[in-house]
Amino acid sequence: MSHTERRERLGELAPGRLEELDEEEEDDDQVLPDLPNVDDYDGIRMRVAPNPNGPWHIGHARMAAVVGTYKELYDGSFVCRFDDTDPETKRPDLDAYDAILDAIEYLDFEPDEVLKASDRVETYYEHAQELIDEGGAYTCSCPGEEFSNLKNAGEPCPHRGKDTEQIHEEFERMVDGEYGEGEMVLRVKTDIEHKNPALRDFVAFRIIETPHPRAEAADYRCWPMLDFQSGIDDHLTGVTHIIRGIDLQDSAKRQQFVYDYFGWEYPEVIHWGHVQVDAYDVPMSTSTIKQLIDDGELDGWDDPRAPTIASLRRRGIRGQAVVDAMTGLGLSTSNVDLAMSTVYANNRELIDEETDRAFLVRDDERAVEKSVIDGPEAGHPAVHPNHEDRGSREIPVETGVLVELGDLPPVGERVWLKGYGCVRHTDDGFEYTGDDLDVTREEGVDIVHWVPSDDNVDVRLRTIDGDISGYAEPGILDYDPDDLLQFERVGFVRIDSLPTEETGLVAYFTHP
RNA sequence: GCUCCGAUGGUGUAGUCCGGCCAAUCAUAUUGCCCUCUCACGGCAAUGACUUGGGUUCAAAUCCCAAUCGGAGCACCA
C-alpha cells in the first residue's frame, strides 16, 4: 500500500487518529533523553563517582559529559565523589584526584561538591552499626570459596544466625584491625534463596591491610565495598538520578536491601553500555595505559598515542567537541563504538574559522629541495582563506624551496606554489613561469604547499600514529605554545613548545 | 550452570512506551560534482539499516512468542 493510500485508508477507519498524528508535530530537539520521573523530585542531583586509580581515559569523559549536561538541562547539580575504598587492588593514584577534576574542568563542567569516600569511613561504620541493629548484617568468617558454594546452593552459612551483640563485637574488632585479611567480613543479609545468585548476602566490609595512600585514611583497615559505600553515599548526598555501567546492573537490586532496612527511597537508575573508541592501537584501560607508561612505551598520560583526556587536550581538541560526541551517544544499554571522526568533526567546526594557516613540508614524505629561478623574492599566502581581512603571510624564497616528494611534478611539468606562483620543474630546479592562476583550473596545474629551503623551522609533529618531522615556514615562530594552526593540506595542530637549542618546534597533531 | 539485559546503515542516533503522516530522522563516514590559490570550510548529490522466523491486526521497526547473535553479573575490584 502506498503512503497516500495508507493515509486515505486510515482516514476512513479512524478519522480522529489522523488528526492526532498531525498534531503530534512536536518540538523537542533535545540532546539527551528526559530523565525518568523528574517531577517526583524538587531538584535533580546526580553524581560522577570515579575511582581515582588513574587519570581519565576517553571513556570516562562520557559520565562527566552526560551528567554535566543534565545538570544544565535541569538546572540541577552534581557531586564528584571519589570511590577510593580499595587501597589494594584498585589502589588510588594520588595524582589522579586532581587530574580527574582537571578533566571535568576541561569538559567545562564544575562539580557542586567534591567528596572522597576515604574521608567518610566513620560514616560508613556508623551505618554498618545501624544496619546490624536492624538485623540486616552479620559478621562472617567463611573462607570465600566455602561461602560461594553455600550461596550458590541457596544455603545460609552458620554465621547468619549470630546474635546482634556478637555481630557488633566482631565488627568492632574488624574496625580495630584485630583480624587479618580474609578472616572476617561483614555481610548484608539479603535473601539467601534469591533466584539471582548475584544478590545473595553480599559483602559490605572487608579487611585490607595495605594502608591507603592518602595519609588521612592510612590508618583504616576495615573498608566498605562499593555496593555498601556507594549506596549509603548516594542517599546521604541527596542523589536523585544515578547513571552507571551495565557492569553494575545488579547494584541497585543489592543496595535496595540496604535501603529497605533503613527505610530509604532508592534513586532513579539508568544503566548504559561500555564505550569503545576506534582510532587507537592502545586499549582503553587505565591499568594498561599505566603499564605502557611505566614500560616507557608511552611518554605519559598525555602522549598523543594514549586514548586519554589529557592527550586530547594536549592535541588541542576542545572539551566541547568531546562533550558533544558523548551526549550524541545517548544512554543505550548496549555497548557503543565512538568514532573519533565524530569528535574531530565537532572540533573542526569549533576551530576552523579562527585558526590561522601555515605550511609544513613533511620530511617523512621526503622533502626535496629545488632552487627557484627568476621568481619573486617571497610568497604571500593568506592567513585564512575565508577572512581576507586577516592579511597574508610573507614567506621568503631566496635560494629555493622544499616541497614534498609526492607534490614534485615530473621534469618539464608545472606546479603552483601556493601563495607564490607557477614554476616549471626543469633540470636546473623550479623555473618561474609567470603563469596566471587560471592554469590551476584550466590546465590542471596542482597547487602545493612549500617552505623556503634555508629559512625554515624544524618541527616535530606528534601524532596518534607516532612522530613526524618536517619543516615549517618561518612565520610559525610568531605563535605561542597552545596556539592552534592548520598546516595546509596536512591538518590542524596545537603548538606545544617553541624551538630550543636541542629540539625544533614541537606540535601535536589535532586531526585532519 | 544460575540470573539479568540488549539488537535500526561502516559508526552513533531518532522513531518503539501509546501500532497508522516510517516510502525510517539527523549527524558522522565514504564516493562523486560544484566552490576554492589546502586534501580545510561551504554547497549539491549518491551510498547505506529496522537480526531471523512465527503470531496478533485493516495496518508491525513499534505489541506477543521463539530462535540467533551479542553484552553483563554470580569478587573479601570499582
Side-chain angles (χ1 to χ4, degrees):
Chain A
M1 214 186 292
S2 79
H3 168 68
T4 334
E5 280 167 352
R6 277 166 172 275
R7 206 177 146 81
E8 280 169 8
R9 189 76 199 279
L10 177 63
E12 289 166 21
L13 291 166
R17 182 70 186 132
L18 199 55
E19 285 160 28
E20 278 176 38
L21 285 169
D22 288 341
E23 281 166 18
E24 270 175 28
E25 291 305 279
E26 39 34 87
D27 31 346
D28 60 324
D29 220 6
Q30 205 169 293
V31 289
L32 285 170
D34 290 326
L35 286 171
N37 303 318
V38 165
D39 294 341
D40 295 351
Y41 302 89
D42 291 336
I44 299 305
R45 187 162 176 86
M46 304 185 74
R47 43 79 153 178
V48 173
N51 178 326
N53 63 335
W56 271 0
H57 61 232
I58 297 173
H60 289 119
R62 188 185 189 191
M63 185 65 79
V66 168
V67 165
T69 302
Y70 273 127
K71 167 181 167 168
E72 290 177 351
L73 235 38
Y74 289 104
D75 197 18
S77 60
F78 78 91
V79 182
C80 174
R81 186 186 72 223
F82 291 102
D83 283 350
D84 55 350
T85 55
D86 181 359
E88 177 81 47
T89 331
K90 297 241 162 133
R91 188 171 177 77
D93 167 355
L94 288 179
D95 294 331
Y97 294 86
D98 282 341
I100 287 169
L101 293 173
D102 284 348
I104 295 172
E105 189 183 358
Y106 160 70
L107 297 171
D108 207 17
F109 294 113
E110 189 184 350
D112 297 87
E113 198 175 348
V114 176
L115 299 172
K116 298 182 182 81
S118 54
D119 281 336
R120 301 168 53 77
V121 177
E122 295 298 338
T123 304
Y124 309 134
Y125 290 164
E126 286 162 20
H127 284 83
Q129 282 150 1
E130 213 173 303
L131 189 62
I132 294 167
D133 285 336
E134 296 293 329
Y138 60 96
T139 44
C140 170
S141 53
C142 290
E145 197 179 337
E146 204 169 293
F147 183 86
S148 177
N149 291 337
L150 286 168
K151 179 201 67 184
N152 289 335
E155 311 256 342
C157 84
H159 311 110
R160 204 172 197 255
K162 282 180 198 169
D163 63 65
T164 307
E165 202 171 317
Q166 185 186 356
I167 297 170
H168 269 302
E169 202 174 291
E170 288 177 349
F171 181 66
E172 203 63 37
R173 293 174 64 186
M174 284 180 70
V175 170
D176 291 343
E178 293 178 25
Y179 297 106
E181 284 184 18
E183 285 178 12
M184 189 67 79
V185 299
L186 185 77
R187 289 186 187 283
V188 175
K189 193 185 285 183
T190 65
D191 173 359
I192 201 67
E193 294 178 331
H194 197 284
K195 64 173 181 169
N196 185 347
L199 306 188
R200 299 172 189 163
D201 287 20
F202 61 91
V203 174
F205 285 83
R206 83 299 207 188
I207 305 295
I208 295 175
E209 289 174 348
T210 308
H212 197 280
R214 292 185 63 233
E216 300 90 325
D219 291 337
Y220 293 112
R221 294 295 176 272
C222 177
W223 285 96
M225 298 286 290
L226 175 77
D227 276 321
F228 188 85
Q229 172 265 120
S230 163
I232 299 294
D233 276 340
D234 286 334
H235 176 79
L236 261 30
T237 56
V239 169
T240 61
H241 291 74
I242 297 169
I243 300 178
R244 61 177 152 224
I246 45 174
D247 48 330
L248 266 25
Q249 60 191 330
D250 291 328
S251 276
K253 292 174 193 158
R254 274 200 279 252
Q255 294 171 350
Q256 184 67 54
F257 286 97
V258 176
Y259 275 61
D260 286 344
Y261 285 118
F262 288 128
W264 296 343
E265 284 295 316
Y266 202 83
E268 308 288 336
V269 192
I270 292 166
H271 293 107
W272 63 21
H274 300 291
V275 198
Q276 310 260 4
V277 179
D278 65 2
Y280 285 95
D281 291 335
V282 176
M284 202 165 62
S285 133
T286 304
S287 54
T288 310
I289 298 168
K290 186 177 286 187
Q291 189 63 49
L292 289 168
I293 292 169
D294 289 346
D295 293 348
E297 301 280 330
L298 295 174
D299 293 338
W301 289 92
D302 56 0
D303 188 298
R305 295 162 296 183
T308 57
I309 300 300
S311 164
L312 295 186
R313 172 158 38 183
R314 197 161 189 189
R315 288 168 55 194
I317 290 171
R318 301 269 169 89
Q320 184 65 47
V322 179
V323 171
D324 290 347
M326 290 299 178
T327 53
L329 293 180
L331 269 47
S332 155
T333 57
S334 29
N335 293 344
V336 293
D337 292 328
L338 171 66
M340 279 307 289
S341 60
T342 305
V343 176
Y344 297 161
N346 292 341
N347 195 62
R348 206 179 285 121
E349 193 176 339
L350 295 172
I351 67 171
D352 187 53
E353 283 299 312
E354 60 196 59
T355 304
D356 289 351
R357 268 50 176 172
F359 290 155
L360 173 81
V361 170
R362 291 166 291 188
D363 206 15
D364 300 62
E365 302 293 323
R366 286 180 293 172
V368 287
E369 178 174 347
K370 290 290 166 185
S371 53
V372 174
I373 300 153
D374 294 336
E377 288 177 0
H380 297 89
V383 171
H384 192 295
N386 302 352
H387 300 279
E388 220 173 287
D389 53 302
R390 292 202 221 157
S392 59
R393 304 170 257 155
E394 170 156 333
I395 312 176
V397 170
E398 296 178 5
T399 58
V401 298
L402 299 176
V403 298
E404 294 181 4
L405 183 64
D407 288 335
L408 185 68
V411 174
E413 298 298 323
R414 290 168 296 176
V415 70
W416 187 281
L417 300 179
K418 188 174 161 85
Y420 180 75
C422 189
V423 296
R424 185 180 301 279
H425 184 197
T426 70
D427 291 337
D428 299 325
F430 284 160
E431 287 181 24
Y432 189 78
T433 65
D435 283 320
D436 190 83
L437 184 62
D438 293 342
V439 299
T440 63
R441 279 185 294 271
E442 290 160 12
E443 297 173 42
V445 174
D446 290 332
I447 298 166
V448 306
H449 58 286
W450 55 278
V451 296
S453 49
D454 296 330
D455 190 8
N456 61 49
V457 180
D458 283 349
V459 170
R460 185 159 71 115
L461 182 58
R462 308 209 63 203
T463 83
I464 191 168
D465 298 314
D467 291 3
I468 290 173
S469 59
Y471 312 95
E473 62 181 74
I476 193 179
L477 295 175
D478 295 337
Y479 292 90
D480 295 316
D482 219 32
D483 283 342
L484 302 179
L485 280 179
Q486 188 209 46
F487 285 136
E488 297 190 65
R489 305 211 301 144
V490 175
F492 292 87
V493 304
R494 175 185 154 276
I495 296 179
D496 194 67
S497 64
L498 296 177
T500 64
E501 286 180 12
E502 293 93 45
T503 67
L505 181 141
V506 176
Y508 277 59
F509 189 71
T510 313
H511 48 65

